[in-house]
């Protein structure tokens, strides 16, 4: 059918257009300096396995810390992640309340001097650099946890208003 043909042509155009842009360096801010750049990038990729154990270790630490946060807030926030990518979502059934909690979280994080990414639907994310130390990550998680607990205390949500229920 015409629709399927259109989708196929669009897909080919999309793939080839972006593939060749990336290969030609059009998206890069700086000009390519030849094959040396390619080999340098490959060297970085070869280093990734050296960081696996560090990311896994931090993942276990953050799992414990954010798991404790869930318990301490009575399920008002749910945290999930793995390795160095973690986040928390406020669990109120009303989207406006979750957004209000995020606004208060921004203010509390400023007081705690920590800056996670704030998720528009109501929560936060942390994605630190690979070479962050365990001590630095524990400190950041503790500050985020303090900010979240302060927000939950201010809001005083009822358990029946939380869409994921109690922890």
């Amino acid at each position: 059918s015409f629709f399927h043909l259109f989708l196929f042509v669009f897909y080919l155009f999309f793939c080839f257009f972006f593939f060749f842009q990336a290969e030609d360096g059009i998206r890069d801010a700086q000009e390519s300096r030849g094959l040396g750049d390619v080999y340098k990038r490959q060297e970085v990729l070869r280093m990734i396995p050296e960081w696996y154990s560090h990311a896994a270790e931090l993942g276990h630490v953050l799992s414990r810390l954010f798991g404790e946060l869930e318990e301490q807030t009575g399920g008002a926030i749910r945290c999930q992640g793995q390795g160095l990518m973690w986040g928390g979502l406020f669990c109120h059934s009303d989207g406006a309340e979750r957004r209000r909690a995020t606004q208060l979280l921004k203010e509390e994080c400023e007081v705690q001097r920590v800056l996670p990414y704030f998720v528009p639907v109501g929560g936060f994310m942390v994605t630190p650099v690979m070479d962050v130390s365990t001590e630095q990550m524990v400190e950041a998680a503790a500050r985020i946890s303090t900010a979240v607990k302060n927000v939950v205390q201010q809001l005083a949500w009822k358990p029946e208003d939380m869409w994921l229920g109690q922890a």
Side-chain angles (χ1 to χ4, degrees):
S1 77
F2 178 76
F3 179 72
H4 288 99
L5 179 62
F6 172 77
L7 284 178
F8 179 72
V9 171
F10 178 76
Y11 176 76
L12 284 176
F13 172 77
F14 184 80
C15 289
F16 283 112
F17 180 76
F18 287 108
F19 174 77
F20 287 115
Q21 263 196 346
E23 286 300 308
D24 292 340
I26 293 172
R27 290 185 180 179
D28 294 340
Q30 34 180 233
E31 287 186 36
S32 176
R33 293 183 295 272
L35 284 176
D37 283 353
V38 173
Y39 295 127
K40 287 176 191 170
R41 288 183 207 143
Q42 289 176 350
E43 188 60 36
V44 169
L45 292 176
R46 285 188 197 110
M47 293 174 58
I48 290 175
E50 296 174 21
W51 292 98
Y52 288 160
S53 61
H54 179 66
E57 174 192 339
L58 285 178
H60 294 301
V61 168
L62 291 174
S63 175
R64 179 180 53 80
L65 294 173
F66 288 139
E68 291 171 2
L69 176 62
E70 280 187 15
E71 291 175 18
Q72 293 166 353
T73 62
I77 195 160
R78 292 294 171 118
C79 299
Q80 248 186 336
Q82 96 180 31
L84 293 177
M85 182 177 249
W86 281 82
L89 180 66
F90 288 109
C91 295
H92 198 280
S93 58
D94 182 5
E97 275 295 300
R98 290 192 305 272
R99 287 187 294 279
R100 186 172 86 130
T102 301
Q103 184 57 45
L104 291 172
L105 181 61
K106 288 178 184 179
E107 295 167 13
E108 283 293 327
C109 283
E110 190 173 320
V111 170
Q112 296 298 322
R113 301 178 51 91
V114 65
L115 187 61
Y117 170 76
F118 299 100
V119 181
V121 294
F124 70 90
M125 277 186 63
V126 291
T127 54
V129 294
M130 191 63 108
D131 62 350
V132 66
S133 72
T134 302
E135 295 78 21
Q136 291 169 322
M137 200 64 247
V138 168
E139 177 68 24
R143 290 178 184 208
I144 292 169
S145 293
T146 299
V148 168
K149 288 185 276 189
N150 289 346
V151 167
V152 169
Q153 186 177 20
Q154 287 176 49
L155 294 173
W157 289 340
K158 297 176 185 168
E160 57 270 15
D161 291 333
M162 291 184 266
W163 59 276
L164 288 178
Q166 292 293 325

